[in-house]
Amino acid sequence: MIRSKKLTKIKNLKHCFFNSVGGHSKNIYKSLNCGPGSKDNKKNIKKNLKIVKKKIGKEAKNIFLVHQIHSNNFIFINKNFKFKKKKFRADAIITDQKKIPIAVLTADCVPLLLYDPRRKIIAAIHAGWRGAYKGIIKKVINFMLNKGCNKKDIIIAIGPSISQKNYEVKKDFMYKFIKKHKKNKIFFKIKNKRIYFN
């Protein structure tokens, strides 16, 4: 488990970035696999989610997950939110409600936790390159600002993801990002005629 130093200082807020260590999944899924959309044994997934829930707190409700589609879609859970059995298709979850654990699942992609301790609004974002390109992070922040958050109050914790040296991409991929905004150049490194993205 990995925790953010900044978020750990906040009372009554429990958070964590879990890694693949532990869990009941076997064979190719041998890990703490919490992905209900995977072909892993469903019983093992439920057991893994129980492990995570126990770490969060006994009083917590079931962990709210979405069906992630590499989009810029998000779900906002407020007091009037209607929970459905069918999974919502999105890549971020925002809530201002207590005792509702929210989570996103990642492997290579970047997990982000955003929290405004003044407005008590938290967000979990799954930011793969497609979601990042589509502006999911900016979209979530803008929504939080529209809900009364202030930029200077929002704390952002970035979780573990693939490293730049292990993420080789092609030229057209790099040009796609640079064409969108010149500042995106800083996310690319060219070494021995190979391009790496971070």
Side-chain angles (χ1 to χ4, degrees):
M1 293 190 308
I2 301 164
R3 289 191 171 90
S4 158
K5 288 181 181 179
K6 288 184 178 180
L7 292 178
T8 303
K9 291 176 184 177
I10 300 167
K11 288 182 180 180
N12 302 319
L13 176 69
K14 293 183 180 180
H15 81 284
C16 195
F17 294 102
F18 289 87
N19 54 28
S20 61
V21 178
H24 295 273
S25 298
K26 293 174 174 56
N27 302 319
I28 62 166
Y29 294 104
K30 191 177 180 181
S31 65
L32 186 68
N33 178 35
C34 295
S38 69
K39 292 178 182 178
D40 191 6
N41 185 302
K42 302 302 175 190
K43 288 180 181 178
N44 289 338
I45 294 168
K46 283 182 179 179
K47 287 177 184 177
N48 294 338
L49 284 166
K50 278 185 180 179
I51 291 170
V52 174
K53 187 183 169 185
K54 194 175 178 181
K55 295 284 184 185
I56 294 168
K58 292 178 183 177
E59 74 282 359
K61 294 179 183 177
N62 288 333
I63 299 165
F64 183 86
L65 296 166
V66 290
H67 178 68
Q68 296 170 193
I69 53 172
H70 296 277
S71 66
N72 63 1
N73 300 340
F74 66 83
I75 298 294
F76 177 55
I77 303 172
N78 60 12
K79 62 181 179 180
N80 300 316
F81 186 80
K82 292 181 180 178
F83 293 89
K84 299 175 183 177
K85 284 186 179 180
K86 192 178 178 181
K87 283 276 187 292
F88 292 90
R89 294 167 69 84
D91 286 273
I93 308 160
I94 310 167
T95 187
D96 58 1
Q97 299 300 294
K98 293 179 180 179
K99 296 180 183 178
I100 297 178
I102 59 172
V104 291
L105 306 174
T106 62
D108 295 346
C109 300
V110 182
L112 295 100
L113 292 176
L114 289 73
Y115 184 63
D116 180 344
R118 187 178 62 84
R119 292 284 293 125
K120 303 286 190 296
I121 295 178
I122 193 165
I125 304 174
H126 160 250
W129 74 261
R130 289 180 182 87
Y133 182 79
K134 293 170 186 174
I136 188 166
I137 300 166
K138 186 177 181 180
K139 195 172 177 181
V140 168
I141 291 172
N142 284 339
F143 180 84
M144 290 175 73
L145 296 177
N146 288 333
K147 285 289 177 184
C149 295
N150 193 307
K151 276 185 183 178
K152 65 180 182 181
D153 295 323
I154 299 173
I155 300 165
I156 301 175
I158 302 171
S161 63
I162 192 168
S163 62
Q164 189 178 54
K165 67 179 181 179
N166 292 307
Y167 203 160
E168 188 177 347
V169 296
K170 294 180 179 178
K171 279 185 182 179
D172 57 346
F173 181 97
M174 180 177 72
Y175 293 144
K176 183 177 181 175
F177 274 83
I178 293 171
K179 188 179 177 182
K180 184 162 187 178
H181 204 295
K182 287 179 182 178
K183 285 184 179 179
N184 286 334
K185 241 182 187 178
I186 63 169
F187 300 115
F188 295 90
K189 185 178 181 180
I190 300 172
K191 188 178 179 182
N192 299 326
K193 295 183 179 180
R194 291 184 170 185
I195 305 165
Y196 299 91
F197 177 62
N198 188 14

mmCIF file with all atom_site columns, all heavy atoms in Angstrom, residues 32-50:
data_model
loop_
_atom_site.group_PDB
_atom_site.id
_atom_site.type_symbol
_atom_site.label_atom_id
_atom_site.label_alt_id
_atom_site.label_comp_id
_atom_site.label_asym_id
_atom_site.label_entity_id
_atom_site.label_seq_id
_atom_site.pdbx_PDB_ins_code
_atom_site.Cartn_x
_atom_site.Cartn_y
_atom_site.Cartn_z
_atom_site.occupancy
_atom_site.B_iso_or_equiv
_atom_site.pdbx_formal_charge
_atom_site.auth_seq_id
_atom_site.auth_comp_id
_atom_site.auth_asym_id
_atom_site.auth_atom_id
_atom_site.pdbx_PDB_model_num
ATOM 1   N N   . LEU A 1 32 ? -3.787  -8.743  -6.346  1.00 0.00 ? 32 LEU A N   1
ATOM 2   C CA  . LEU A 1 32 ? -4.971  -8.211  -5.655  1.00 0.00 ? 32 LEU A CA  1
ATOM 3   C C   . LEU A 1 32 ? -5.889  -7.636  -6.736  1.00 0.00 ? 32 LEU A C   1
ATOM 4   O O   . LEU A 1 32 ? -6.193  -6.453  -6.765  1.00 0.00 ? 32 LEU A O   1
ATOM 5   C CB  . LEU A 1 32 ? -4.550  -7.130  -4.650  1.00 0.00 ? 32 LEU A CB  1
ATOM 6   C CG  . LEU A 1 32 ? -5.623  -6.549  -3.742  1.00 0.00 ? 32 LEU A CG  1
ATOM 7   C CD1 . LEU A 1 32 ? -6.127  -7.581  -2.744  1.00 0.00 ? 32 LEU A CD1 1
ATOM 8   C CD2 . LEU A 1 32 ? -5.090  -5.333  -3.000  1.00 0.00 ? 32 LEU A CD2 1
ATOM 9   N N   . ASN A 1 33 ? -6.301  -8.474  -7.655  1.00 0.00 ? 33 ASN A N   1
ATOM 10  C CA  . ASN A 1 33 ? -7.118  -8.025  -8.784  1.00 0.00 ? 33 ASN A CA  1
ATOM 11  C C   . ASN A 1 33 ? -8.527  -7.662  -8.326  1.00 0.00 ? 33 ASN A C   1
ATOM 12  O O   . ASN A 1 33 ? -9.246  -8.491  -7.799  1.00 0.00 ? 33 ASN A O   1
ATOM 13  C CB  . ASN A 1 33 ? -7.180  -9.117  -9.860  1.00 0.00 ? 33 ASN A CB  1
ATOM 14  C CG  . ASN A 1 33 ? -8.069  -8.711  -11.028 1.00 0.00 ? 33 ASN A CG  1
ATOM 15  O OD1 . ASN A 1 33 ? -8.122  -7.557  -11.403 1.00 0.00 ? 33 ASN A OD1 1
ATOM 16  N ND2 . ASN A 1 33 ? -8.783  -9.671  -11.583 1.00 0.00 ? 33 ASN A ND2 1
ATOM 17  N N   . CYS A 1 34 ? -8.907  -6.407  -8.548  1.00 0.00 ? 34 CYS A N   1
ATOM 18  C CA  . CYS A 1 34 ? -10.239 -5.936  -8.138  1.00 0.00 ? 34 CYS A CA  1
ATOM 19  C C   . CYS A 1 34 ? -11.105 -5.573  -9.347  1.00 0.00 ? 34 CYS A C   1
ATOM 20  O O   . CYS A 1 34 ? -12.097 -4.851  -9.212  1.00 0.00 ? 34 CYS A O   1
ATOM 21  C CB  . CYS A 1 34 ? -10.100 -4.713  -7.224  1.00 0.00 ? 34 CYS A CB  1
ATOM 22  S SG  . CYS A 1 34 ? -9.282  -5.076  -5.664  1.00 0.00 ? 34 CYS A SG  1
ATOM 23  N N   . GLY A 1 35 ? -10.717 -6.059  -10.512 1.00 0.00 ? 35 GLY A N   1
ATOM 24  C CA  . GLY A 1 35 ? -11.430 -5.711  -11.744 1.00 0.00 ? 35 GLY A CA  1
ATOM 25  C C   . GLY A 1 35 ? -12.564 -6.651  -12.078 1.00 0.00 ? 35 GLY A C   1
ATOM 26  O O   . GLY A 1 35 ? -12.341 -7.731  -12.626 1.00 0.00 ? 35 GLY A O   1
ATOM 27  N N   . PRO A 1 36 ? -13.815 -6.263  -11.784 1.00 0.00 ? 36 PRO A N   1
ATOM 28  C CA  . PRO A 1 36 ? -14.961 -7.132  -12.097 1.00 0.00 ? 36 PRO A CA  1
ATOM 29  C C   . PRO A 1 36 ? -15.156 -7.332  -13.595 1.00 0.00 ? 36 PRO A C   1
ATOM 30  O O   . PRO A 1 36 ? -15.833 -8.258  -14.019 1.00 0.00 ? 36 PRO A O   1
ATOM 31  C CB  . PRO A 1 36 ? -16.152 -6.391  -11.476 1.00 0.00 ? 36 PRO A CB  1
ATOM 32  C CG  . PRO A 1 36 ? -15.706 -4.982  -11.298 1.00 0.00 ? 36 PRO A CG  1
ATOM 33  C CD  . PRO A 1 36 ? -14.227 -5.029  -11.107 1.00 0.00 ? 36 PRO A CD  1
ATOM 34  N N   . GLY A 1 37 ? -14.524 -6.480  -14.398 1.00 0.00 ? 37 GLY A N   1
ATOM 35  C CA  . GLY A 1 37 ? -14.642 -6.605  -15.850 1.00 0.00 ? 37 GLY A CA  1
ATOM 36  C C   . GLY A 1 37 ? -13.651 -7.592  -16.438 1.00 0.00 ? 37 GLY A C   1
ATOM 37  O O   . GLY A 1 37 ? -13.713 -7.915  -17.616 1.00 0.00 ? 37 GLY A O   1
ATOM 38  N N   . SER A 1 38 ? -12.731 -8.098  -15.611 1.00 0.00 ? 38 SER A N   1
ATOM 39  C CA  . SER A 1 38 ? -11.742 -9.064  -16.092 1.00 0.00 ? 38 SER A CA  1
ATOM 40  C C   . SER A 1 38 ? -12.344 -10.466 -16.123 1.00 0.00 ? 38 SER A C   1
ATOM 41  O O   . SER A 1 38 ? -13.437 -10.701 -15.612 1.00 0.00 ? 38 SER A O   1
ATOM 42  C CB  . SER A 1 38 ? -10.505 -9.042  -15.196 1.00 0.00 ? 38 SER A CB  1
ATOM 43  O OG  . SER A 1 38 ? -10.816 -9.576  -13.922 1.00 0.00 ? 38 SER A OG  1
ATOM 44  N N   . LYS A 1 39 ? -11.606 -11.407 -16.696 1.00 0.00 ? 39 LYS A N   1
ATOM 45  C CA  . LYS A 1 39 ? -12.082 -12.794 -16.781 1.00 0.00 ? 39 LYS A CA  1
ATOM 46  C C   . LYS A 1 39 ? -11.613 -13.628 -15.589 1.00 0.00 ? 39 LYS A C   1
ATOM 47  O O   . LYS A 1 39 ? -11.663 -14.843 -15.605 1.00 0.00 ? 39 LYS A O   1
ATOM 48  C CB  . LYS A 1 39 ? -11.620 -13.424 -18.092 1.00 0.00 ? 39 LYS A CB  1
ATOM 49  C CG  . LYS A 1 39 ? -12.299 -12.797 -19.312 1.00 0.00 ? 39 LYS A CG  1
ATOM 50  C CD  . LYS A 1 39 ? -11.793 -13.403 -20.603 1.00 0.00 ? 39 LYS A CD  1
ATOM 51  C CE  . LYS A 1 39 ? -12.461 -12.728 -21.791 1.00 0.00 ? 39 LYS A CE  1
ATOM 52  N NZ  . LYS A 1 39 ? -11.934 -13.270 -23.077 1.00 0.00 ? 39 LYS A NZ  1
ATOM 53  N N   . ASP A 1 40 ? -11.173 -12.931 -14.565 1.00 0.00 ? 40 ASP A N   1
ATOM 54  C CA  . ASP A 1 40 ? -10.747 -13.581 -13.328 1.00 0.00 ? 40 ASP A CA  1
ATOM 55  C C   . ASP A 1 40 ? -11.956 -14.210 -12.636 1.00 0.00 ? 40 ASP A C   1
ATOM 56  O O   . ASP A 1 40 ? -13.111 -13.824 -12.885 1.00 0.00 ? 40 ASP A O   1
ATOM 57  C CB  . ASP A 1 40 ? -10.102 -12.529 -12.411 1.00 0.00 ? 40 ASP A CB  1
ATOM 58  C CG  . ASP A 1 40 ? -9.389  -13.129 -11.207 1.00 0.00 ? 40 ASP A CG  1
ATOM 59  O OD1 . ASP A 1 40 ? -9.290  -14.358 -11.120 1.00 0.00 ? 40 ASP A OD1 1
ATOM 60  O OD2 . ASP A 1 40 ? -8.934  -12.349 -10.362 1.00 0.00 ? 40 ASP A OD2 1
ATOM 61  N N   . ASN A 1 41 ? -11.701 -15.174 -11.753 1.00 0.00 ? 41 ASN A N   1
ATOM 62  C CA  . ASN A 1 41 ? -12.752 -15.805 -10.965 1.00 0.00 ? 41 ASN A CA  1
ATOM 63  C C   . ASN A 1 41 ? -13.467 -14.735 -10.126 1.00 0.00 ? 41 ASN A C   1
ATOM 64  O O   . ASN A 1 41 ? -12.839 -14.027 -9.351  1.00 0.00 ? 41 ASN A O   1
ATOM 65  C CB  . ASN A 1 41 ? -12.121 -16.868 -10.045 1.00 0.00 ? 41 ASN A CB  1
ATOM 66  C CG  . ASN A 1 41 ? -13.149 -17.662 -9.264  1.00 0.00 ? 41 ASN A CG  1
ATOM 67  O OD1 . ASN A 1 41 ? -13.935 -17.101 -8.517  1.00 0.00 ? 41 ASN A OD1 1
ATOM 68  N ND2 . ASN A 1 41 ? -13.120 -18.963 -9.436  1.00 0.00 ? 41 ASN A ND2 1
ATOM 69  N N   . LYS A 1 42 ? -14.783 -14.633 -10.291 1.00 0.00 ? 42 LYS A N   1
ATOM 70  C CA  . LYS A 1 42 ? -15.564 -13.581 -9.620  1.00 0.00 ? 42 LYS A CA  1
ATOM 71  C C   . LYS A 1 42 ? -15.487 -13.678 -8.097  1.00 0.00 ? 42 LYS A C   1
ATOM 72  O O   . LYS A 1 42 ? -15.510 -12.652 -7.397  1.00 0.00 ? 42 LYS A O   1
ATOM 73  C CB  . LYS A 1 42 ? -17.031 -13.617 -10.076 1.00 0.00 ? 42 LYS A CB  1
ATOM 74  C CG  . LYS A 1 42 ? -17.244 -13.455 -11.574 1.00 0.00 ? 42 LYS A CG  1
ATOM 75  C CD  . LYS A 1 42 ? -16.661 -12.154 -12.108 1.00 0.00 ? 42 LYS A CD  1
ATOM 76  C CE  . LYS A 1 42 ? -16.779 -12.062 -13.616 1.00 0.00 ? 42 LYS A CE  1
ATOM 77  N NZ  . LYS A 1 42 ? -16.014 -10.932 -14.174 1.00 0.00 ? 42 LYS A NZ  1
ATOM 78  N N   . LYS A 1 43 ? -15.388 -14.900 -7.587  1.00 0.00 ? 43 LYS A N   1
ATOM 79  C CA  . LYS A 1 43 ? -15.282 -15.089 -6.133  1.00 0.00 ? 43 LYS A CA  1
ATOM 80  C C   . LYS A 1 43 ? -13.981 -14.493 -5.607  1.00 0.00 ? 43 LYS A C   1
ATOM 81  O O   . LYS A 1 43 ? -13.951 -13.888 -4.541  1.00 0.00 ? 43 LYS A O   1
ATOM 82  C CB  . LYS A 1 43 ? -15.363 -16.577 -5.775  1.00 0.00 ? 43 LYS A CB  1
ATOM 83  C CG  . LYS A 1 43 ? -16.757 -17.169 -5.930  1.00 0.00 ? 43 LYS A CG  1
ATOM 84  C CD  . LYS A 1 43 ? -16.766 -18.641 -5.550  1.00 0.00 ? 43 LYS A CD  1
ATOM 85  C CE  . LYS A 1 43 ? -18.166 -19.235 -5.727  1.00 0.00 ? 43 LYS A CE  1
ATOM 86  N NZ  . LYS A 1 43 ? -18.163 -20.696 -5.404  1.00 0.00 ? 43 LYS A NZ  1
ATOM 87  N N   . ASN A 1 44 ? -12.915 -14.669 -6.373  1.00 0.00 ? 44 ASN A N   1
ATOM 88  C CA  . ASN A 1 44 ? -11.618 -14.118 -5.977  1.00 0.00 ? 44 ASN A CA  1
ATOM 89  C C   . ASN A 1 44 ? -11.632 -12.595 -6.009  1.00 0.00 ? 44 ASN A C   1
ATOM 90  O O   . ASN A 1 44 ? -11.046 -11.941 -5.140  1.00 0.00 ? 44 ASN A O   1
ATOM 91  C CB  . ASN A 1 44 ? -10.505 -14.654 -6.879  1.00 0.00 ? 44 ASN A CB  1
ATOM 92  C CG  . ASN A 1 44 ? -10.214 -16.116 -6.629  1.00 0.00 ? 44 ASN A CG  1
ATOM 93  O OD1 . ASN A 1 44 ? -10.524 -16.641 -5.557  1.00 0.00 ? 44 ASN A OD1 1
ATOM 94  N ND2 . ASN A 1 44 ? -9.633  -16.793 -7.601  1.00 0.00 ? 44 ASN A ND2 1
ATOM 95  N N   . ILE A 1 45 ? -12.304 -12.026 -7.011  1.00 0.00 ? 45 ILE A N   1
ATOM 96  C CA  . ILE A 1 45 ? -12.417 -10.566 -7.108  1.00 0.00 ? 45 ILE A CA  1
ATOM 97  C C   . ILE A 1 45 ? -13.148 -10.015 -5.891  1.00 0.00 ? 45 ILE A C   1
ATOM 98  O O   . ILE A 1 45 ? -12.736 -9.021  -5.298  1.00 0.00 ? 45 ILE A O   1
ATOM 99  C CB  . ILE A 1 45 ? -13.134 -10.144 -8.417  1.00 0.00 ? 45 ILE A CB  1
ATOM 100 C CG1 . ILE A 1 45 ? -12.288 -10.517 -9.634  1.00 0.00 ? 45 ILE A CG1 1
ATOM 101 C CG2 . ILE A 1 45 ? -13.419 -8.640  -8.418  1.00 0.00 ? 45 ILE A CG2 1
ATOM 102 C CD1 . ILE A 1 45 ? -13.012 -10.403 -10.959 1.00 0.00 ? 45 ILE A CD1 1
ATOM 103 N N   . LYS A 1 46 ? -14.241 -10.683 -5.492  1.00 0.00 ? 46 LYS A N   1
ATOM 104 C CA  . LYS A 1 46 ? -15.007 -10.249 -4.313  1.00 0.00 ? 46 LYS A CA  1
ATOM 105 C C   . LYS A 1 46 ? -14.155 -10.316 -3.045  1.00 0.00 ? 46 LYS A C   1
ATOM 106 O O   . LYS A 1 46 ? -14.207 -9.421  -2.203  1.00 0.00 ? 46 LYS A O   1
ATOM 107 C CB  . LYS A 1 46 ? -16.262 -11.113 -4.150  1.00 0.00 ? 46 LYS A CB  1
ATOM 108 C CG  . LYS A 1 46 ? -17.376 -10.748 -5.125  1.00 0.00 ? 46 LYS A CG  1
ATOM 109 C CD  . LYS A 1 46 ? -18.620 -11.589 -4.886  1.00 0.00 ? 46 LYS A CD  1
ATOM 110 C CE  . LYS A 1 46 ? -19.728 -11.203 -5.856  1.00 0.00 ? 46 LYS A CE  1
ATOM 111 N NZ  . LYS A 1 46 ? -20.950 -12.030 -5.673  1.00 0.00 ? 46 LYS A NZ  1
ATOM 112 N N   . LYS A 1 47 ? -13.357 -11.385 -2.933  1.00 0.00 ? 47 LYS A N   1
ATOM 113 C CA  . LYS A 1 47 ? -12.469 -11.527 -1.777  1.00 0.00 ? 47 LYS A CA  1
ATOM 114 C C   . LYS A 1 47 ? -11.417 -10.420 -1.767  1.00 0.00 ? 47 LYS A C   1
ATOM 115 O O   . LYS A 1 47 ? -11.085 -9.869  -0.716  1.00 0.00 ? 47 LYS A O   1
ATOM 116 C CB  . LYS A 1 47 ? -11.782 -12.897 -1.802  1.00 0.00 ? 47 LYS A CB  1
ATOM 117 C CG  . LYS A 1 47 ? -12.694 -14.051 -1.446  1.00 0.00 ? 47 LYS A CG  1
ATOM 118 C CD  . LYS A 1 47 ? -11.940 -15.379 -1.561  1.00 0.00 ? 47 LYS A CD  1
ATOM 119 C CE  . LYS A 1 47 ? -12.846 -16.567 -1.299  1.00 0.00 ? 47 LYS A CE  1
ATOM 120 N NZ  . LYS A 1 47 ? -12.105 -17.842 -1.499  1.00 0.00 ? 47 LYS A NZ  1
ATOM 121 N N   . ASN A 1 48 ? -10.885 -10.094 -2.942  1.00 0.00 ? 48 ASN A N   1
ATOM 122 C CA  . ASN A 1 48 ? -9.885  -9.025  -3.054  1.00 0.00 ? 48 ASN A CA  1
ATOM 123 C C   . ASN A 1 48 ? -10.470 -7.670  -2.682  1.00 0.00 ? 48 ASN A C   1
ATOM 124 O O   . ASN A 1 48 ? -9.838  -6.868  -1.986  1.00 0.00 ? 48 ASN A O   1
ATOM 125 C CB  . ASN A 1 48 ? -9.312  -8.968  -4.479  1.00 0.00 ? 48 ASN A CB  1
ATOM 126 C CG  . ASN A 1 48 ? -8.507  -10.198 -4.834  1.00 0.00 ? 48 ASN A CG  1
ATOM 127 O OD1 . ASN A 1 48 ? -8.021  -10.915 -3.954  1.00 0.00 ? 48 ASN A OD1 1
ATOM 128 N ND2 . ASN A 1 48 ? -8.349  -10.466 -6.119  1.00 0.00 ? 48 ASN A ND2 1
ATOM 129 N N   . LEU A 1 49 ? -11.701 -7.421  -3.132  1.00 0.00 ? 49 LEU A N   1
ATOM 130 C CA  . LEU A 1 49 ? -12.370 -6.164  -2.792  1.00 0.00 ? 49 LEU A CA  1
ATOM 131 C C   . LEU A 1 49 ? -12.637 -6.069  -1.290  1.00 0.00 ? 49 LEU A C   1
ATOM 132 O O   . LEU A 1 49 ? -12.599 -4.981  -0.719  1.00 0.00 ? 49 LEU A O   1
ATOM 133 C CB  . LEU A 1 49 ? -13.671 -6.020  -3.583  1.00 0.00 ? 49 LEU A CB  1
ATOM 134 C CG  . LEU A 1 49 ? -13.520 -5.621  -5.061  1.00 0.00 ? 49 LEU A CG  1
ATOM 135 C CD1 . LEU A 1 49 ? -14.815 -5.828  -5.818  1.00 0.00 ? 49 LEU A CD1 1
ATOM 136 C CD2 . LEU A 1 49 ? -13.049 -4.172  -5.187  1.00 0.00 ? 49 LEU A CD2 1
ATOM 137 N N   . LYS A 1 50 ? -12.894 -7.222  -0.659  1.00 0.00 ? 50 LYS A N   1
ATOM 138 C CA  . LYS A 1 50 ? -13.096 -7.243  0.799   1.00 0.00 ? 50 LYS A CA  1
ATOM 139 C C   . LYS A 1 50 ? -11.812 -6.858  1.537   1.00 0.00 ? 50 LYS A C   1
ATOM 140 O O   . LYS A 1 50 ? -11.857 -6.182  2.561   1.00 0.00 ? 50 LYS A O   1
ATOM 141 C CB  . LYS A 1 50 ? -13.575 -8.632  1.253   1.00 0.00 ? 50 LYS A CB  1
ATOM 142 C CG  . LYS A 1 50 ? -15.070 -8.839  1.083   1.00 0.00 ? 50 LYS A CG  1
ATOM 143 C CD  . LYS A 1 50 ? -15.502 -10.181 1.664   1.00 0.00 ? 50 LYS A CD  1
ATOM 144 C CE  . LYS A 1 50 ? -17.002 -10.390 1.487   1.00 0.00 ? 50 LYS A CE  1
ATOM 145 N NZ  . LYS A 1 50 ? -17.429 -11.705 2.017   1.00 0.00 ? 50 LYS A NZ  1
#
